[in-house]
Amino acid sequence: MRFLLDTEQGAFADSLRAMLTAADTASAVREWSRGERAGGRALWRRFADAGVFGLAVPEARGGWGPRPVELAVACVESGRHTLPGPLAETVGAAVLLASLDDPAPAGRFLPGLLSGESMATLAPAGSYALDAEAAAVRLAVHGAGGAARPPAGRGTGLAEVRLAPAPAGSRPSLDPARRLSLLPSGGELLASGPGVGPAVEHALTWARLATAAQALGTGLALLGRTVAHVGRRTQFGVPIGSFQAVKHRLADARIALEFARPLLFGAATTLRPADVAAAKLKACEAAYGTARAALQLHGAIGYTAEDDLSLLLTRARALRSAWGTPEECRDAVLEGAAGAAAGPGR
């Protein structure tokens, strides 16, 4: 399958890439990891001004969508530049709020999320949430079949969504710019009942799609940096990129990323949970494999936090387990395949 973006989608990608390339995203990421968020929030508002978060929200709730393909395009570009902040979580929270039967929570929180004035995070109650200290909207999901991140086809039982209190502190993740906080119990009840479970599963699908797209963008940026590096670095009087072993390593990385691309955009067109899980698995594994190749081919400089390569390396590692580990995504794919084989009478 070969997936091609149309003219408008390509222009949208180009405009976001130009905007983020012109910005000093590396400095913003490093500041974010130190708890200094002014630069990251400025980037976030510019990203929101481009209409990105509205792509996940129906027009009836004040958005531009749902337009999952365009959202995936935007998240690929955010991954290229390691945009700081809870991107997938804000997307998932926006989708969850827009999917609730009661329109009051959406009317209360979505305007700030769509404009970029506020950020959101989303996690199971009592679990670690990304950037909860920076997020104004902290959604804790209780129930939904016993987990806030249910496999495909589950999570349709009784559940509730609460606005969690501010966390007491945070701890670093694999990526220093991704701080994790334990969501406190309690908080304001926003929604409850059997309709919350399907809304949570729908939000999970969008969050996984956004994570997969970020991973693909991260992998593409790693590949581009590494190709440029091996073309400059010489050994025995020739660029190391001319060595057959180096060519093979980069070719493997390129093939993995190019196979992930149609899976990602194919999943964006169907939004089937199994398709999104497959795209997330493939994109994250391709980005992680590219990160390993980039680290080796950059030599000692790849281990230094001062080089911007480190921002991409740690992001690729963190995204691999965010919103579904490889094992969880494989289970979702297998469950989707089993459900399709069983047919509608399952």
Side-chain angles (χ1 to χ4, degrees):
M1 174 182 178
R2 187 183 182 196
F3 191 99
L4 294 176
L5 301 179
D6 62 27
T7 302
E8 289 186 0
Q9 292 163 345
F12 183 49
D14 291 342
S15 66
L16 291 175
R17 191 177 310 157
M19 179 188 75
L20 292 173
T21 299
D24 188 3
T25 55
S27 294
V29 171
R30 289 191 168 89
E31 290 169 359
W32 193 272
S33 67
R34 297 192 299 265
E36 303 167 9
R37 301 191 176 96
R41 287 189 181 277
L43 277 173
W44 189 271
R45 286 191 291 270
R46 292 178 65 187
F47 207 60
D49 286 342
V52 172
F53 297 113
L55 298 171
V57 176
E59 291 185 20
R61 295 284 198 240
W64 306 101
R67 302 184 70 172
V69 173
E70 285 76 8
L71 180 80
V73 168
C75 290
V76 167
E77 298 309 318
S78 76
R80 286 185 193 269
H81 299 275
T82 59
L83 181 74
L87 179 59
E89 290 70 21
T90 297
V91 168
V95 170
L96 176 56
L97 291 168
S99 302
L100 297 175
D101 294 333
D102 182 3
R108 178 178 168 188
F109 297 114
L110 279 181
L113 297 181
L114 299 186
S115 68
E117 291 303 313
S118 60
M119 300 175 175
T121 194
L122 173 67
S127 297
Y128 283 96
L130 177 66
D131 287 326
E133 291 178 315
V137 182
R138 297 173 293 272
L139 300 184
V141 182
H142 301 244
R149 300 180 186 180
R154 299 179 187 169
T156 56
L158 293 174
E160 64 179 31
V161 179
R162 289 184 176 271
L163 184 67
S170 64
R171 65 178 182 87
S173 72
L174 296 171
D175 179 353
R178 292 168 61 87
R179 306 288 300 184
L180 300 174
S181 300
L182 189 64
L183 287 183
S185 58
E188 178 187 350
L189 179 65
L190 296 180
S192 63
V196 173
V200 169
E201 185 172 346
H202 190 50
L204 163 67
T205 300
W206 280 80
R208 275 188 176 166
L209 180 71
T211 304
Q214 289 179 84
L216 178 61
T218 301
L220 292 170
L222 281 163
L223 180 62
R225 280 181 172 270
T226 307
V227 169
H229 176 76
V230 300
R232 293 190 303 264
R233 183 183 172 192
T234 60
Q235 195 171 23
F236 308 117
V238 296
I240 64 171
S242 64
F243 300 159
Q244 202 70 3
V246 173
K247 291 180 179 179
H248 287 169
R249 192 76 190 270
L250 292 175
D252 288 343
R254 176 65 181 269
I255 290 170
L257 291 168
E258 289 303 318
F259 268 94
R261 190 195 303 268
L263 275 179
L264 171 69
F265 289 112
T269 62
T270 69
L271 274 186
R272 287 193 292 261
D275 293 346
V276 174
K280 201 270 179 183
L281 173 65
K282 184 63 178 176
C284 288
E285 292 301 273
Y288 183 66
T290 305
R292 289 170 62 90
L295 179 62
Q296 181 184 29
L297 295 176
H298 274 80
I301 195 174
Y303 290 92
T304 62
E306 291 78 12
D307 192 275
D308 290 349
L309 178 73
S310 66
L311 305 179
L312 293 163
L313 293 174
T314 55
R315 184 61 55 89
R317 290 178 61 202
L319 292 175
R320 188 171 182 244
S321 57
W323 289 101
T325 64
E327 293 74 18
E328 290 169 340
C329 288
R330 288 189 184 95
D331 288 345
V333 173
L334 291 173
E335 182 173 337
R346 181 190 178 196

